[in-house]
Amino acid sequence: MSLSFVPSSNVASIKESATIAVSQRAKALRAAGRTIIDLGAGEPDFDTPTFIREATKAALDAGATRYTAVEGILPLREVIAADATRRRAGRDTPVTPGEVVVSTGSKQSLQNAAFALFGPGDEVLLPVPSWVSYFEMIGLARATAVAVPGDPSIGLKVTRALLERYATPRTRGLMLNSPSNPSGAVYGADELRAITDLAAERGWWVISDEIYARITYRMGEAPSALDVAARRDNLVVINGVAKAYAMTGFRIGWSIAPRAVSQAMTALQSHTTSNAATSSQHAALAALTRTDEADAAIRAMVGEFKERRDAARGILSAIPSLELVEPEGAFYLFFKAPGGDGTAFATKLLETEGVAVVPGAAFGTPAWVRASYAASRTDVESAMHAIVRAWSA
Ligand code: PLP
């Protein structure tokens, strides 16, 4: 007798990542012979810089093939802690390596943090549009995500006043993401400080996902919560190497959090995945310590992203009514679809023009659409012309 699968309550309400669903439909069409431009993915199209790949091979040859401490190798946590200490600029005690946990991608860091901080009965403020996984991560922790709609007049960002409007006595924390996936908006230092001040006053946790911090087009690096917050005893800052260093497949992210939170996250991780892959930790160490080479590589990649962004914006300017969030960071264009139906427009684009984008429903904003420009310049330009055609068709 075969056993039929009834999903447990742990997973019953999990939805497949909508961004992955679009990529799969695009792949299926491609397999059927269609030419498809995939602007659905959130992954740099560049190769990992050579010096990082070489350092990884050298680490493997030197024996980096065994378990490490659950929280990660000390030199990597030291360099992360030193950078955080520099950002605090003497405002409080140095950040120690004991406050850093290295995980299998920043995705795991975020999940560890959500699990450690939130539980049943807790509400977590989630500015929308929001990266698709935050909703699920908060749900997996059995807490409740409370969507806080961003203000279109400031690039769909949230303010102190907006957050206050959605707060209740059950609010335990909030998620921040700047530069934002999906909108490409970047919070300025003052905007960020107003929010961290509110959280400190109310005793809320702030999980600040800064994975795109080094991919910005105006200010060199986006402000970190560590740069601006008056205190850090309620801060969990998340970062990683995936996006800025083109190291998605290495799966290295980290958290900087108060020691007790870091200990809880480490205990959780010790029962799930243990340490992040050892050779990848050494790769990340090379990325963070060989700064001249890393800075040059990042400058080149960000420069290329910027050129694509500018070219895309130029083509889209043929649509006079286009509501586009000012794309200041990450590598996404986020715009309101014609007729206010992002899913209908994304479907039309894929089926009639062979261009894959992600409907805004995935991010809690169904009227909008996200197009990634982490694709070749030629593909980005062709896709933008297709969007202009589909707009008026
Ligand atoms: N946070 C945001 C906002 C992202 O867009 C992504 C990747 O798409 C991640 C985190 C996860 O990155 P990682 O590859 O480090 O797990």
Side-chain angles (χ1 to χ4, degrees):
M1 195 183 77
S2 65
L3 187 63
S4 65
F5 171 57
V6 179
S8 77
S9 61
N10 295 327
V11 297
S13 62
I14 293 184
K15 292 191 275 304
E16 186 196 359
S17 160
T19 48
I20 290 172
V22 172
S23 286
Q24 279 175 348
R25 174 72 184 141
K27 281 193 188 102
L29 287 174
R30 207 175 264 154
R34 288 273 307 273
T35 304
I36 300 293
I37 300 176
D38 186 358
L39 301 191
E43 176 169 29
D45 55 320
F46 302 111
D47 290 332
T48 304
T50 308
F51 81 92
I52 297 172
R53 285 185 277 140
E54 293 300 334
T56 317
K57 291 180 218 168
L60 280 169
D61 288 341
T65 59
R66 299 175 185 273
Y67 291 134
T68 69
V70 169
E71 64 273 30
I73 56 173
L74 183 59
L76 179 56
R77 289 182 296 116
E78 279 174 340
V79 67
I80 294 165
D83 176 71
T85 298
R86 181 184 58 74
R87 290 174 186 282
R88 297 304 293 159
R91 268 171 294 167
D92 43 33
T93 51
V95 177
T96 64
E99 293 166 283
V100 177
V101 181
V102 176
S103 299
T104 302
S106 64
K107 215 172 216 179
Q108 188 183 25
S109 308
L110 287 158
Q111 182 69 71
N112 283 347
F115 249 69
L117 298 175
F118 309 126
D122 294 338
E123 293 180 359
V124 184
L125 300 178
L126 195 49
V128 297
S130 149
W131 182 48
V132 54
S133 292
Y134 298 148
F135 294 101
E136 304 292 344
M137 288 174 173
I138 294 167
L140 281 170
R142 300 186 187 228
T144 303
V146 176
V148 181
D151 178 350
S153 72
I154 49 166
L156 295 170
K157 290 183 273 191
V158 297
T159 57
R160 176 186 174 112
L162 273 172
L163 291 166
E164 281 178 313
R165 198 177 304 161
Y166 287 83
T168 76
R170 289 149 86 102
T171 304
R172 289 272 289 159
L174 62 105
M175 311 279 299
L176 281 180
N177 175 218
S178 173
S180 160
N181 176 6
S183 75
V186 179
Y187 283 75
D190 291 344
E191 294 173 317
L192 205 51
R193 189 177 301 107
I195 293 172
T196 54
D197 281 353
L198 171 68
E201 283 162 30
R202 297 289 188 95
W204 297 340
W205 291 102
V206 176
I207 299 180
S208 181
D209 178 353
E210 302 176 359
I211 187 83
Y212 294 98
R214 298 201 64 182
I215 306 179
T216 54
Y217 308 108
R218 235 166 32 108
M219 34 196 143
E221 187 170 350
S224 162
L226 286 166
D227 296 325
V228 302
R231 19 190 282 218
R232 65 177 174 88
D233 58 356
N234 64 331
L235 279 192
V236 179
V237 173
I238 307 286
N239 212 327
V241 289
K243 312 286 179 173
Y245 298 83
M247 292 174 68
T248 46
F250 287 75
R251 311 304 307 127
I252 295 291
W254 56 83
S255 53
I256 302 163
R259 177 89 179 122
V261 178
S262 296
Q263 281 172 327
M265 290 171 66
T266 303
L268 171 61
Q269 186 168 301
S270 76
H271 296 295
T272 54
T273 55
S274 300
N275 61 275
T278 303
S279 55
S280 292
Q281 292 188 57
H282 286 274
L285 181 61
L288 298 191
T289 50
R290 292 169 62 173
T291 48
D292 288 349
E293 290 154 285
D295 289 352
I298 291 171
R299 237 187 341 266
M301 291 189 276
V302 172
E304 178 65 31
F305 282 138
K306 183 170 185 299
E307 281 181 17
R308 297 172 191 174
R309 178 200 71 155
D310 292 345
R313 241 194 336 197
I315 295 166
L316 291 181
S317 66
I319 308 170
S321 59
L322 186 72
E323 252 186 85
L324 171 74
V325 174
E326 178 62 26
E328 294 188 325
F331 34 68
Y332 306 107
L333 298 169
F334 201 61
F335 56 88
K336 202 170 199 175
D341 187 342
T343 303
F345 188 64
T347 306
K348 177 178 174 185
L349 258 185
L350 184 57
E351 304 298 337
T352 65
E353 296 282 352
V355 171
V357 296
V358 184
F363 313 108
T365 42
W368 297 70
V369 166
R370 186 193 81 177
S372 162
Y373 47 93
S376 76
R377 172 92 177 253
T378 320
D379 277 358
V380 170
E381 290 182 353
S382 306
M384 296 303 129
H385 287 300
I387 288 173
V388 173
R389 275 195 304 275
W391 199 277
S392 41

